[in-house]
Amino acid sequence: MHAVRYDRFYDYDELTETLRAWAEEAPQLFALESIGRSFEGREIWLATVTNLETGPAAEKPAFLLEANIHAVEVTGCTAALHLLHRLLTGYGSDPKVTRALDTRAFYVIPRLNPDGSELALAERPRFLRSSVRPWPRLDPQDGLYEEDVDGDGRILFMRVPDPNGAWRAAEEDARLLVPRGPLDTPEDAQFYRLLPEGRIRNFDGVTIKTPPPLEGLDLNRNFPMEWVTESEQLGAGPFPASEPEVRAMVQAVVDRPNIVAHIAYHTFSGVHLRPYAGYDDDHYPTGDLRAYKLIGEEATRLTGYPAVSIFLDFKYDPKQTIKGGAHDWLYDHLGVFSWTTEFWSPQRQAGLDGFHFIEWLREHPVEDELAVLRWFEERYPGRAYVEWYPFDHPELGEVELGGWDLMGFWANVPYDRLEAELAPHSELALFHVLVSPLLEVHTLSVDEVGEAVWRVQLVLLNSGWLPTNVTEKALERKAVRPLEVELTLPEGARLTAGERITEAGQLTGRVHKRSTLWWGNDESTSDRVKLEWVIEAPSGTEIGIEARHQRAGTVRRVVELRS
Protein backbone atom coordinates (compact mmCIF):
# COMPACT_ATOMS: atom_id res chain seq x y z
CA MET A 1 0.00 0.00 0.00
CA HIS A 2 1.30 3.43 -0.98
CA ALA A 3 2.84 4.88 2.20
CA VAL A 4 2.38 8.35 3.70
CA ARG A 5 5.50 10.47 4.20
CA TYR A 6 5.84 12.43 7.43
CA ASP A 7 9.07 14.26 6.57
CA ARG A 8 7.30 16.91 4.52
CA PHE A 9 3.86 18.28 3.66
CA TYR A 10 2.45 17.18 0.31
CA ASP A 11 1.85 19.66 -2.47
CA TYR A 12 -1.19 19.22 -4.69
CA ASP A 13 0.47 16.93 -7.22
CA GLU A 14 1.86 14.59 -4.57
CA LEU A 15 -1.49 14.53 -2.77
CA THR A 16 -3.27 13.64 -6.00
CA GLU A 17 -0.72 10.96 -6.86
CA THR A 18 -1.17 9.34 -3.44
CA LEU A 19 -4.97 9.34 -3.61
CA ARG A 20 -4.98 7.88 -7.13
CA ALA A 21 -2.51 5.18 -6.10
CA TRP A 22 -4.83 4.07 -3.27
CA ALA A 23 -7.80 4.00 -5.64
CA GLU A 24 -5.86 1.63 -7.92
CA GLU A 25 -4.47 -0.51 -5.10
CA ALA A 26 -7.71 -1.03 -3.16
CA PRO A 27 -10.72 -0.54 -5.48
CA GLN A 28 -12.94 -2.68 -3.25
CA LEU A 29 -12.36 -0.26 -0.35
CA PHE A 30 -11.37 3.11 -1.80
CA ALA A 31 -12.98 5.38 -4.42
CA LEU A 32 -11.82 8.83 -5.48
CA GLU A 33 -13.90 11.57 -7.04
CA SER A 34 -13.84 15.30 -7.57
CA ILE A 35 -16.64 17.27 -5.91
CA GLY A 36 -15.75 20.47 -7.74
CA ARG A 37 -12.94 22.77 -8.73
CA SER A 38 -11.18 25.47 -6.74
CA PHE A 39 -11.01 29.11 -7.79
CA GLU A 40 -7.84 28.36 -9.79
CA GLY A 41 -9.31 25.21 -11.29
CA ARG A 42 -7.83 22.43 -9.16
CA GLU A 43 -9.96 19.37 -8.49
CA ILE A 44 -11.25 19.12 -4.91
CA TRP A 45 -10.85 15.46 -4.06
CA LEU A 46 -13.22 13.40 -1.93
CA ALA A 47 -12.24 9.85 -0.97
CA THR A 48 -14.90 7.30 -0.04
CA VAL A 49 -13.75 4.35 2.05
CA THR A 50 -15.98 1.35 2.77
CA ASN A 51 -16.15 -2.35 1.99
CA LEU A 52 -18.21 -2.52 -1.18
CA GLU A 53 -18.84 -6.23 -0.68
CA THR A 54 -21.11 -5.37 2.26
CA GLY A 55 -22.94 -2.60 0.40
CA PRO A 56 -22.38 0.82 -1.12
CA ALA A 57 -21.34 3.78 1.01
CA ALA A 58 -24.65 5.56 0.43
CA GLU A 59 -26.49 2.78 2.29
CA LYS A 60 -24.32 2.97 5.41
CA PRO A 61 -23.89 5.56 8.18
CA ALA A 62 -20.96 7.78 7.25
CA PHE A 63 -18.38 10.04 8.89
CA LEU A 64 -17.17 13.16 7.06
CA LEU A 65 -13.66 14.50 7.52
CA GLU A 66 -12.72 17.81 5.94
CA ALA A 67 -9.24 19.32 6.16
CA ASN A 68 -7.08 22.25 5.13
CA ILE A 69 -9.72 24.89 4.46
CA HIS A 70 -7.17 27.42 5.74
CA ALA A 71 -4.14 27.80 3.53
CA VAL A 72 -1.21 27.30 5.91
CA GLU A 73 -2.86 24.62 8.08
CA VAL A 74 -1.41 21.75 6.05
CA THR A 75 -1.09 19.48 9.10
CA GLY A 76 -4.79 18.76 8.65
CA CYS A 77 -4.24 17.34 5.17
CA THR A 78 -1.56 14.99 6.48
CA ALA A 79 -3.89 13.92 9.29
CA ALA A 80 -6.53 13.06 6.70
CA LEU A 81 -3.99 10.97 4.80
CA HIS A 82 -3.02 9.23 8.05
CA LEU A 83 -6.64 8.20 8.58
CA LEU A 84 -7.01 6.94 5.00
CA HIS A 85 -3.82 4.89 5.25
CA ARG A 86 -4.91 3.55 8.65
CA LEU A 87 -8.19 2.35 7.16
CA LEU A 88 -6.67 0.76 4.06
CA THR A 89 -3.87 -1.06 5.89
CA GLY A 90 -6.01 -2.04 8.87
CA TYR A 91 -8.88 -3.65 6.99
CA GLY A 92 -8.85 -7.40 7.51
CA SER A 93 -6.23 -7.30 10.27
CA ASP A 94 -7.61 -4.75 12.74
CA PRO A 95 -11.06 -5.77 14.08
CA LYS A 96 -12.12 -2.17 14.73
CA VAL A 97 -11.20 -0.97 11.24
CA THR A 98 -12.77 -4.06 9.67
CA ARG A 99 -16.03 -3.56 11.55
CA ALA A 100 -16.07 0.12 10.63
CA LEU A 101 -15.62 -0.48 6.90
CA ASP A 102 -18.00 -3.45 6.81
CA THR A 103 -20.83 -1.50 8.45
CA ARG A 104 -20.06 2.19 7.91
CA ALA A 105 -18.38 4.55 5.45
CA PHE A 106 -15.88 7.41 5.53
CA TYR A 107 -15.95 10.49 3.32
CA VAL A 108 -12.63 12.35 3.44
CA ILE A 109 -11.82 15.70 1.81
CA PRO A 110 -8.06 15.94 2.45
CA ARG A 111 -7.61 19.48 1.13
CA LEU A 112 -10.65 21.66 0.62
CA ASN A 113 -8.53 24.68 -0.30
CA PRO A 114 -5.81 23.46 -2.70
CA ASP A 115 -5.00 26.91 -4.10
CA GLY A 116 -4.07 28.55 -0.81
CA SER A 117 -2.00 25.57 0.30
CA GLU A 118 0.01 25.60 -2.94
CA LEU A 119 1.13 29.14 -2.10
CA ALA A 120 1.99 28.17 1.48
CA LEU A 121 4.08 25.21 0.27
CA ALA A 122 5.86 27.00 -2.55
CA GLU A 123 9.66 27.31 -2.54
CA ARG A 124 9.14 31.02 -2.01
CA PRO A 125 5.91 30.90 0.00
CA ARG A 126 3.04 33.29 0.48
CA PHE A 127 0.77 32.95 3.48
CA LEU A 128 -2.94 33.62 3.03
CA ARG A 129 -5.74 33.05 5.47
CA SER A 130 -7.75 31.01 2.99
CA SER A 131 -8.86 31.59 -0.61
CA VAL A 132 -6.64 33.10 -3.30
CA ARG A 133 -9.54 35.02 -4.85
CA PRO A 134 -9.17 38.80 -4.44
CA TRP A 135 -11.92 40.03 -2.12
CA PRO A 136 -13.41 42.48 -1.34
CA ARG A 137 -11.01 44.64 -3.40
CA LEU A 138 -9.58 43.64 -6.74
CA ASP A 139 -6.39 45.68 -6.44
CA PRO A 140 -3.83 45.91 -3.61
CA GLN A 141 -3.66 49.00 -1.43
CA ASP A 142 -0.44 50.67 -0.36
CA GLY A 143 1.37 49.21 2.61
CA LEU A 144 3.23 46.17 3.96
CA TYR A 145 2.53 42.76 2.46
CA GLU A 146 4.04 39.55 3.82
CA GLU A 147 6.67 38.06 1.55
CA ASP A 148 9.80 35.92 1.68
CA VAL A 149 12.07 38.87 0.94
CA ASP A 150 15.39 37.02 1.16
CA GLY A 151 14.23 33.91 -0.68
CA ASP A 152 15.15 31.39 2.06
CA GLY A 153 11.77 29.62 1.93
CA ARG A 154 10.54 31.14 5.20
CA ILE A 155 8.51 34.16 6.19
CA LEU A 156 9.85 35.36 9.53
CA PHE A 157 9.81 38.79 11.17
CA MET A 158 11.65 42.05 10.62
CA ARG A 159 12.88 44.08 13.56
CA VAL A 160 13.68 47.70 12.80
CA PRO A 161 15.48 49.90 15.36
CA ASP A 162 13.09 52.66 16.33
CA PRO A 163 13.20 54.90 19.46
CA ASN A 164 9.40 54.79 19.50
CA GLY A 165 9.18 51.03 18.94
CA ALA A 166 7.01 48.89 21.19
CA TRP A 167 9.55 46.05 21.67
CA ARG A 168 12.87 45.47 23.39
CA ALA A 169 15.16 42.50 23.90
CA ALA A 170 14.31 40.34 26.91
CA GLU A 171 16.80 40.55 29.76
CA GLU A 172 16.62 36.78 30.22
CA ASP A 173 17.41 36.05 26.54
CA ALA A 174 18.38 38.85 24.19
CA ARG A 175 17.02 37.03 21.14
CA LEU A 176 13.50 37.23 22.45
CA LEU A 177 11.50 40.44 22.05
CA VAL A 178 9.16 41.48 24.84
CA PRO A 179 6.79 44.45 25.17
CA ARG A 180 8.32 47.77 26.15
CA GLY A 181 7.31 49.07 29.55
CA PRO A 182 4.79 51.91 29.63
CA LEU A 183 7.31 54.37 31.13
CA ASP A 184 10.45 53.30 29.22
CA THR A 185 12.29 56.08 27.43
CA PRO A 186 14.70 55.85 24.47
CA GLU A 187 17.59 56.18 26.97
CA ASP A 188 16.58 53.00 28.78
CA ALA A 189 17.17 50.46 25.99
CA GLN A 190 17.24 49.78 22.28
CA PHE A 191 13.67 49.58 21.03
CA TYR A 192 12.35 48.00 17.88
CA ARG A 193 9.39 48.11 15.58
CA LEU A 194 8.42 44.48 14.88
CA LEU A 195 6.99 43.76 11.45
CA PRO A 196 6.20 40.63 9.44
CA GLU A 197 8.80 39.88 6.79
CA GLY A 198 7.62 41.51 3.59
CA ARG A 199 7.71 44.34 1.07
CA ILE A 200 6.11 47.78 1.33
CA ARG A 201 4.07 48.85 -1.66
CA ASN A 202 4.57 52.55 -2.56
CA PHE A 203 6.61 53.31 0.56
CA ASP A 204 6.89 57.04 1.19
CA GLY A 205 9.98 56.71 3.37
CA VAL A 206 8.08 57.29 6.61
CA THR A 207 4.65 55.66 6.78
CA ILE A 208 4.21 51.89 7.05
CA LYS A 209 0.58 51.03 6.58
CA THR A 210 -1.04 47.66 7.30
CA PRO A 211 -3.58 47.25 4.50
CA PRO A 212 -6.22 44.54 4.45
CA PRO A 213 -4.97 41.51 2.53
CA LEU A 214 -5.82 41.47 -1.15
CA GLU A 215 -7.09 37.90 -0.71
CA GLY A 216 -9.42 38.65 2.18
CA LEU A 217 -11.78 35.69 2.02
CA ASP A 218 -12.05 33.21 4.86
CA LEU A 219 -13.77 30.14 3.46
CA ASN A 220 -14.80 29.07 6.96
CA ARG A 221 -16.99 32.17 7.21
CA ASN A 222 -18.82 31.40 3.97
CA PHE A 223 -21.09 28.52 5.05
CA PRO A 224 -24.88 29.07 5.12
CA MET A 225 -25.33 29.33 8.88
CA GLU A 226 -26.22 32.83 10.13
CA TRP A 227 -24.10 34.25 7.34
CA VAL A 228 -23.66 38.02 7.59
CA THR A 229 -22.15 40.59 5.25
CA GLU A 230 -18.49 41.55 5.07
CA SER A 231 -19.13 44.62 7.23
CA GLU A 232 -20.10 42.34 10.14
CA GLN A 233 -17.87 39.32 9.48
CA LEU A 234 -14.50 39.73 7.79
CA GLY A 235 -13.91 37.21 5.04
CA ALA A 236 -17.56 36.25 4.67
CA GLY A 237 -17.70 36.72 0.90
CA PRO A 238 -20.55 38.20 -1.15
CA PHE A 239 -23.20 35.60 -0.22
CA PRO A 240 -23.43 32.19 1.51
CA ALA A 241 -21.51 29.45 -0.33
CA SER A 242 -20.40 31.99 -2.91
CA GLU A 243 -16.96 30.39 -3.14
CA PRO A 244 -16.45 27.28 -5.29
CA GLU A 245 -14.66 25.38 -2.52
CA VAL A 246 -17.44 25.91 0.03
CA ARG A 247 -20.15 25.36 -2.56
CA ALA A 248 -18.53 22.03 -3.50
CA MET A 249 -18.51 20.86 0.12
CA VAL A 250 -22.07 22.02 0.81
CA GLN A 251 -23.33 20.17 -2.26
CA ALA A 252 -21.33 17.06 -1.35
CA VAL A 253 -22.87 17.03 2.13
CA VAL A 254 -26.41 17.58 0.87
CA ASP A 255 -25.90 14.76 -1.64
CA ARG A 256 -24.89 12.41 1.19
CA PRO A 257 -27.72 12.37 3.75
CA ASN A 258 -26.09 9.34 5.41
CA ILE A 259 -23.48 11.61 7.07
CA VAL A 260 -23.84 11.29 10.85
CA ALA A 261 -20.69 13.07 12.12
CA HIS A 262 -18.12 15.58 10.93
CA ILE A 263 -14.71 16.84 11.98
CA ALA A 264 -12.82 19.73 10.39
CA TYR A 265 -9.03 19.58 10.78
CA HIS A 266 -7.34 22.91 11.57
CA THR A 267 -4.32 24.21 13.49
CA PHE A 268 -3.28 25.22 16.09
CA SER A 269 -4.06 25.08 19.86
CA GLY A 270 -4.41 21.40 20.72
CA VAL A 271 -8.16 21.45 21.33
CA HIS A 272 -11.45 20.00 20.10
CA LEU A 273 -14.05 22.72 19.47
CA ARG A 274 -17.78 22.18 19.46
CA PRO A 275 -20.50 24.59 18.35
CA TYR A 276 -21.94 26.99 18.87
CA ALA A 277 -19.67 29.84 17.85
CA GLY A 278 -22.38 32.39 18.56
CA TYR A 279 -24.45 30.97 21.43
CA ASP A 280 -23.93 29.57 24.89
CA ASP A 281 -24.93 26.07 25.86
CA ASP A 282 -28.53 27.03 26.66
CA HIS A 283 -29.11 27.07 22.89
CA TYR A 284 -28.77 23.27 22.70
CA PRO A 285 -31.51 20.70 23.16
CA THR A 286 -30.61 19.10 26.49
CA GLY A 287 -29.91 15.66 25.07
CA ASP A 288 -27.61 16.99 22.35
CA LEU A 289 -25.49 18.91 24.86
CA ARG A 290 -25.13 15.80 27.02
CA ALA A 291 -24.12 13.73 24.00
CA TYR A 292 -21.65 16.40 22.84
CA LYS A 293 -20.00 16.38 26.25
CA LEU A 294 -19.78 12.58 26.32
CA ILE A 295 -18.19 12.52 22.88
CA GLY A 296 -15.84 15.28 24.00
CA GLU A 297 -14.77 13.24 27.02
CA GLU A 298 -13.81 10.35 24.77
CA ALA A 299 -12.02 12.72 22.38
CA THR A 300 -9.92 13.97 25.30
CA ARG A 301 -9.22 10.45 26.51
CA LEU A 302 -8.01 9.35 23.08
CA THR A 303 -6.01 12.43 22.06
CA GLY A 304 -5.19 14.37 25.23
CA TYR A 305 -6.81 17.48 23.74
CA PRO A 306 -9.49 19.19 25.84
CA ALA A 307 -12.97 19.53 24.32
CA VAL A 308 -14.52 22.98 24.74
CA SER A 309 -17.27 25.28 23.50
CA ILE A 310 -16.23 27.83 20.90
CA PHE A 311 -18.53 30.46 22.37
CA LEU A 312 -17.35 29.94 25.93
CA ASP A 313 -13.66 29.21 25.40
CA PHE A 314 -12.43 30.11 21.92
CA LYS A 315 -13.65 33.58 20.97
CA TYR A 316 -11.25 35.80 19.05
CA ASP A 317 -12.91 38.82 20.64
CA PRO A 318 -15.07 38.68 23.79
CA LYS A 319 -17.70 40.89 22.16
CA GLN A 320 -17.76 39.25 18.74
CA THR A 321 -18.91 35.89 17.48
CA ILE A 322 -17.94 33.93 14.38
CA LYS A 323 -20.59 33.57 11.69
CA GLY A 324 -20.75 31.21 8.73
CA GLY A 325 -18.63 28.34 10.09
CA ALA A 326 -18.87 24.75 8.87
CA HIS A 327 -19.43 23.22 12.30
CA ASP A 328 -22.40 25.47 13.11
CA TRP A 329 -23.99 24.74 9.73
CA LEU A 330 -23.61 20.98 9.99
CA TYR A 331 -24.97 20.82 13.53
CA ASP A 332 -27.67 23.49 13.51
CA HIS A 333 -29.08 22.98 10.02
CA LEU A 334 -28.49 19.26 9.50
CA GLY A 335 -28.39 17.90 13.05
CA VAL A 336 -24.97 16.28 12.69
CA PHE A 337 -22.48 16.19 15.56
CA SER A 338 -19.75 18.41 14.16
CA TRP A 339 -16.36 19.33 15.61
CA THR A 340 -13.28 21.33 14.74
CA THR A 341 -9.95 19.89 15.82
CA GLU A 342 -7.11 22.38 16.21
CA PHE A 343 -3.90 20.34 16.12
CA TRP A 344 -0.74 21.07 18.11
CA SER A 345 -0.03 23.13 21.19
CA PRO A 346 3.59 24.30 21.64
CA GLN A 347 2.58 25.83 24.95
CA ARG A 348 1.38 22.51 26.32
CA GLN A 349 4.52 20.80 25.01
CA ALA A 350 6.52 23.28 27.07
CA GLY A 351 4.59 22.38 30.22
CA LEU A 352 2.21 25.34 30.31
CA ASP A 353 -1.33 24.69 31.45
CA GLY A 354 -4.47 26.60 32.35
CA PHE A 355 -3.96 29.33 29.75
CA HIS A 356 -6.75 30.75 27.58
CA PHE A 357 -6.39 29.52 24.01
CA ILE A 358 -6.85 32.93 22.35
CA GLU A 359 -5.97 35.49 25.02
CA TRP A 360 -2.53 33.88 25.53
CA LEU A 361 -1.64 34.84 21.95
CA ARG A 362 -2.40 38.49 22.72
CA GLU A 363 -0.64 38.68 26.05
CA HIS A 364 1.24 36.32 28.32
CA PRO A 365 4.06 36.45 30.86
CA VAL A 366 7.57 36.54 29.47
CA GLU A 367 8.23 33.41 31.52
CA ASP A 368 5.74 31.56 29.32
CA GLU A 369 7.47 32.51 26.10
CA LEU A 370 10.86 31.69 27.58
CA ALA A 371 9.56 28.25 28.51
CA VAL A 372 8.31 27.68 24.97
CA LEU A 373 11.57 28.99 23.53
CA ARG A 374 13.62 26.66 25.72
CA TRP A 375 11.50 23.69 24.69
CA PHE A 376 11.95 24.46 21.01
CA GLU A 377 15.66 25.23 21.35
CA GLU A 378 16.37 21.89 23.00
CA ARG A 379 14.83 20.10 20.04
CA TYR A 380 15.21 22.43 17.06
CA PRO A 381 18.10 24.78 17.85
CA GLY A 382 18.12 27.83 15.62
CA ARG A 383 15.21 26.57 13.53
CA ALA A 384 11.96 27.26 15.38
CA TYR A 385 13.29 30.60 16.63
CA VAL A 386 15.75 32.04 14.14
CA GLU A 387 18.55 34.25 15.44
CA TRP A 388 18.30 37.77 14.10
CA TYR A 389 20.48 38.42 11.09
CA PRO A 390 21.08 41.59 9.02
CA PHE A 391 19.32 42.17 5.74
CA ASP A 392 19.36 45.08 3.31
CA HIS A 393 15.66 45.64 2.79
CA PRO A 394 14.56 47.16 -0.55
CA GLU A 395 12.44 49.82 1.15
CA LEU A 396 13.61 50.03 4.76
CA GLY A 397 17.37 49.64 4.29
CA GLU A 398 19.22 47.81 7.07
CA VAL A 399 16.90 45.64 9.13
CA GLU A 400 17.20 42.28 10.88
CA LEU A 401 15.25 39.17 9.97
CA GLY A 402 14.51 36.39 12.42
CA GLY A 403 12.18 35.39 15.24
CA TRP A 404 9.60 32.60 15.21
CA ASP A 405 9.14 30.42 12.14
CA LEU A 406 5.39 30.31 12.59
CA MET A 407 4.58 28.19 9.55
CA GLY A 408 6.99 25.40 10.41
CA PHE A 409 6.70 25.19 14.18
CA TRP A 410 3.48 26.86 15.37
CA ALA A 411 0.92 26.71 12.56
CA ASN A 412 1.99 23.13 11.84
CA VAL A 413 3.42 20.17 13.71
CA PRO A 414 7.20 19.69 13.25
CA TYR A 415 7.95 16.73 10.98
CA ASP A 416 9.62 14.56 13.60
CA ARG A 417 6.48 14.71 15.77
CA LEU A 418 3.93 14.66 13.00
CA GLU A 419 2.93 11.00 12.84
CA ALA A 420 2.77 10.56 16.62
CA GLU A 421 0.66 13.71 17.01
CA LEU A 422 -1.83 12.64 14.35
CA ALA A 423 -2.25 8.93 15.11
CA PRO A 424 -4.68 9.30 18.07
CA HIS A 425 -7.00 11.38 15.91
CA SER A 426 -7.46 8.52 13.46
CA GLU A 427 -8.65 6.46 16.44
CA LEU A 428 -11.07 9.26 17.30
CA ALA A 429 -12.46 9.17 13.75
CA LEU A 430 -13.09 5.44 14.17
CA PHE A 431 -14.90 6.15 17.44
CA HIS A 432 -17.09 8.76 15.74
CA VAL A 433 -18.19 6.41 12.99
CA LEU A 434 -18.73 3.39 15.25
CA VAL A 435 -21.06 5.23 17.67
CA SER A 436 -23.40 6.00 14.78
CA PRO A 437 -26.82 4.38 14.53
CA LEU A 438 -26.93 1.05 12.70
CA LEU A 439 -30.07 -0.60 11.42
CA GLU A 440 -30.19 -4.39 11.81
CA VAL A 441 -32.75 -7.17 11.50
CA HIS A 442 -33.47 -8.50 14.97
CA THR A 443 -35.92 -11.23 13.93
CA LEU A 444 -37.83 -12.16 10.79
CA SER A 445 -40.46 -14.90 10.89
CA VAL A 446 -43.18 -16.42 8.68
CA ASP A 447 -46.25 -18.23 10.03
CA GLU A 448 -49.02 -19.88 8.02
CA VAL A 449 -52.29 -18.56 9.44
CA GLY A 450 -54.64 -20.04 6.84
CA GLU A 451 -54.64 -21.83 3.55
CA ALA A 452 -52.12 -19.87 1.42
CA VAL A 453 -52.30 -17.04 3.98
CA TRP A 454 -49.12 -15.97 5.76
CA ARG A 455 -48.18 -13.64 8.57
CA VAL A 456 -44.75 -12.05 8.17
CA GLN A 457 -43.29 -10.45 11.28
CA LEU A 458 -40.18 -8.26 11.20
CA VAL A 459 -38.40 -6.70 14.16
CA LEU A 460 -35.81 -4.05 13.35
CA LEU A 461 -33.14 -2.89 15.79
CA ASN A 462 -30.86 0.12 16.07
CA SER A 463 -27.69 -1.42 17.48
CA GLY A 464 -25.83 1.89 17.52
CA TRP A 465 -25.02 4.16 20.47
CA LEU A 466 -26.73 7.17 18.87
CA PRO A 467 -30.39 7.26 17.83
CA THR A 468 -31.28 6.97 14.15
CA ASN A 469 -31.96 10.70 14.01
CA VAL A 470 -28.51 11.27 15.60
CA THR A 471 -29.51 14.54 17.30
CA GLU A 472 -32.62 16.20 18.68
CA LYS A 473 -31.70 19.17 16.50
CA ALA A 474 -32.20 17.00 13.40
CA LEU A 475 -35.80 16.34 14.45
CA GLU A 476 -36.34 19.99 15.31
CA ARG A 477 -35.06 21.02 11.87
CA LYS A 478 -36.87 18.15 10.10
CA ALA A 479 -33.49 17.29 8.64
CA VAL A 480 -33.91 13.52 8.78
CA ARG A 481 -36.61 11.21 7.47
CA PRO A 482 -38.15 8.38 9.50
CA LEU A 483 -37.30 4.75 9.06
CA GLU A 484 -39.06 3.39 5.98
CA VAL A 485 -39.88 -0.27 5.29
CA GLU A 486 -41.05 -1.49 1.87
CA LEU A 487 -42.40 -4.86 0.71
CA THR A 488 -41.89 -6.14 -2.83
CA LEU A 489 -44.64 -8.56 -3.80
CA PRO A 490 -44.44 -10.74 -6.89
CA GLU A 491 -47.34 -11.28 -9.24
CA GLY A 492 -49.92 -13.54 -7.64
CA ALA A 493 -49.32 -12.29 -4.09
CA ARG A 494 -51.79 -9.97 -2.33
CA LEU A 495 -51.24 -7.88 0.78
CA THR A 496 -54.31 -8.18 3.01
CA ALA A 497 -53.05 -6.49 6.20
CA GLY A 498 -50.30 -3.97 6.71
CA GLU A 499 -48.87 -1.35 4.36
CA ARG A 500 -46.61 -1.98 1.41
CA ILE A 501 -44.55 1.07 2.45
CA THR A 502 -44.50 1.84 6.17
CA GLU A 503 -42.96 4.79 7.99
CA ALA A 504 -41.70 3.48 11.32
CA GLY A 505 -40.39 6.62 13.03
CA GLN A 506 -36.99 6.84 14.74
CA LEU A 507 -35.22 4.29 16.92
CA THR A 508 -33.37 5.37 20.04
CA GLY A 509 -29.79 4.46 20.86
CA ARG A 510 -27.97 3.86 24.13
CA VAL A 511 -26.44 7.32 24.50
CA HIS A 512 -28.88 8.48 27.17
CA LYS A 513 -29.05 5.24 29.16
CA ARG A 514 -26.65 6.59 31.74
CA SER A 515 -28.08 6.19 35.22
CA THR A 516 -27.27 3.04 37.19
CA LEU A 517 -30.03 3.75 39.72
CA TRP A 518 -33.73 3.16 39.36
CA TRP A 519 -34.75 6.73 38.54
CA GLY A 520 -34.29 8.46 35.23
CA ASN A 521 -33.17 5.41 33.27
CA ASP A 522 -35.33 4.35 30.32
CA GLU A 523 -34.94 0.63 29.61
CA SER A 524 -37.89 0.43 27.23
CA THR A 525 -37.36 -1.17 23.83
CA SER A 526 -37.62 2.09 21.91
CA ASP A 527 -34.55 0.96 20.00
CA ARG A 528 -36.74 -1.65 18.26
CA VAL A 529 -39.82 -1.64 16.08
CA LYS A 530 -42.10 -4.55 15.11
CA LEU A 531 -43.96 -4.69 11.82
CA GLU A 532 -46.46 -7.31 10.62
CA TRP A 533 -48.07 -8.09 7.29
CA VAL A 534 -50.60 -10.65 6.18
CA ILE A 535 -50.09 -11.90 2.64
CA GLU A 536 -52.11 -14.22 0.44
CA ALA A 537 -49.79 -16.16 -1.85
CA PRO A 538 -48.96 -19.72 -2.91
CA SER A 539 -46.46 -21.64 -0.78
CA GLY A 540 -42.91 -21.01 -1.95
CA THR A 541 -43.53 -17.38 -2.97
CA GLU A 542 -40.60 -15.07 -2.25
CA ILE A 543 -41.24 -11.65 -0.71
CA GLY A 544 -38.66 -8.86 -0.75
CA ILE A 545 -38.26 -6.59 2.29
CA GLU A 546 -36.17 -3.40 2.32
CA ALA A 547 -35.73 -1.28 5.45
CA ARG A 548 -33.93 2.01 4.93
CA HIS A 549 -32.95 4.98 7.00
CA GLN A 550 -30.84 7.88 5.79
CA ARG A 551 -28.51 7.78 8.77
CA ALA A 552 -28.78 4.20 10.02
CA GLY A 553 -28.32 2.33 6.75
CA THR A 554 -30.27 -0.10 4.60
CA VAL A 555 -31.00 -3.79 5.13
CA ARG A 556 -32.66 -6.16 2.68
CA ARG A 557 -34.09 -9.62 3.10
CA VAL A 558 -35.87 -12.12 0.84
CA VAL A 559 -38.26 -14.34 2.73
CA GLU A 560 -39.92 -17.49 1.39
CA LEU A 561 -43.53 -18.09 2.36
CA ARG A 562 -43.32 -21.68 3.48
CA SER A 563 -44.46 -23.45 6.64
Side-chain angles (χ1 to χ4, degrees), residues 1 5 44 49 83 184 186 209 391 478 500 537:
M1 190 65 62
R5 299 285 298 270
I44 301 170
V49 191
L83 172 62
D184 288 347
K209 300 176 181 178
F391 179 73
K478 296 181 172 59
R500 191 179 68 82

Side-chain angles (χ1 to χ4, degrees), residues 445-457 489 492-498 532-541 543 559-563:
S445 62
V446 176
D447 297 307
E448 190 173 13
V449 294
E451 186 174 349
V453 180
W454 313 88
R455 182 178 64 203
V456 177
Q457 185 181 89
L489 301 175
R494 187 169 72 92
L495 184 65
T496 61
E532 290 187 347
W533 302 270
V534 177
I535 301 167
E536 291 183 359
S539 179
T541 299
I543 304 297
V559 60
E560 185 178 2
L561 304 181
R562 186 180 298 278
S563 58

Side-chain angles (χ1 to χ4, degrees), residues 21-315:
W22 286 336
E24 292 178 4
E25 291 167 349
Q28 78 284 3
L29 296 176
F30 187 99
L32 183 65
E33 64 184 295
S34 171
I35 57 172
R37 289 180 177 268
S38 66
F39 176 72
E40 293 184 336
R42 294 180 176 88
E43 303 284 3
I44 301 170
W45 298 118
L46 181 144
T48 300
V49 191
T50 193
N51 178 14
L52 292 177
E53 292 183 358
T54 59
E59 295 183 357
K60 299 172 180 175
F63 168 76
L64 172 66
L65 173 61
E66 154 252 322
N68 215 165
I69 194 172
H70 289 144
V72 303
E73 298 172 11
V74 289
T75 290
C77 179
T78 305
L81 294 179
H82 184 284
L83 172 62
L84 291 172
H85 189 259
R86 168 91 171 86
L87 297 175
L88 294 175
T89 57
Y91 185 79
S93 59
D94 184 308
K96 187 186 293 184
V97 172
T98 303
R99 179 159 64 102
L101 296 189
D102 282 347
T103 60
R104 275 85 164 183
F106 290 82
Y107 299 125
V108 179
I109 305 172
R111 182 165 285 161
L112 186 58
N113 176 17
D115 300 346
S117 295
E118 282 300 278
L119 287 180
L121 295 169
E123 288 187 12
R124 196 158 187 169
R126 285 187 61 214
F127 299 158
L128 309 179
R129 172 62 171 167
S130 201
S131 171
V132 302
R133 183 168 83 88
W135 174 266
R137 298 177 59 93
L138 299 180
D139 55 320
Q141 300 180 46
D142 294 345
L144 175 64
Y145 289 89
E146 286 190 18
E147 182 181 322
D148 176 14
V149 296
D150 64 346
D152 68 352
R154 304 174 296 191
I155 297 179
L156 304 172
F157 291 88
M158 304 188 297
R159 71 177 189 183
V160 183
D162 186 334
N164 204 41
W167 301 87
R168 63 173 178 82
E171 295 178 0
E172 299 86 345
D173 190 320
R175 296 171 300 173
L176 195 64
L177 295 183
V178 296
R180 174 182 182 170
L183 300 182
D184 288 347
T185 69
E187 291 73 32
D188 294 325
Q190 171 70 69
F191 299 113
Y192 298 94
R193 193 170 295 271
L194 187 63
L195 305 168
E197 182 179 346
R199 296 286 304 273
I200 305 174
R201 178 182 171 87
N202 293 329
F203 185 48
D204 63 6
V206 176
T207 307
I208 302 174
K209 300 176 181 178
T210 304
L214 177 62
E215 300 90 351
L217 283 163
D218 186 336
L219 297 177
N220 203 32
R221 306 294 182 267
N222 190 234
F223 285 89
M225 164 63 182
E226 295 194 337
W227 181 91
V228 293
T229 62
E230 188 75 19
S231 62
E232 296 179 68
Q233 176 67 75
L234 292 177
F239 55 88
S242 61
E243 305 313 300
E245 298 86 354
V246 174
R247 193 158 58 249
M249 177 172 157
V250 167
Q251 189 65 59
V253 171
V254 171
D255 290 343
R256 293 163 177 81
N258 58 323
I259 291 171
V260 297
H262 162 258
I263 297 182
Y265 279 172
H266 290 242
T267 59
F268 71 102
S269 285
V271 65
H272 302 291
L273 304 175
R274 62 171 168 83
Y276 285 96
Y279 301 101
D280 64 21
D281 286 350
D282 288 342
H283 206 67
Y284 280 107
T286 301
D288 287 1
L289 179 59
R290 287 174 177 163
Y292 250 126
K293 289 183 175 180
L294 290 169
I295 294 169
E297 288 173 8
E298 182 65 9
T300 299
R301 188 189 71 81
L302 288 170
T303 68
Y305 289 10
V308 305
S309 158
I310 299 169
F311 181 84
L312 298 175
D313 300 295
F314 209 81
K315 282 184 184 176

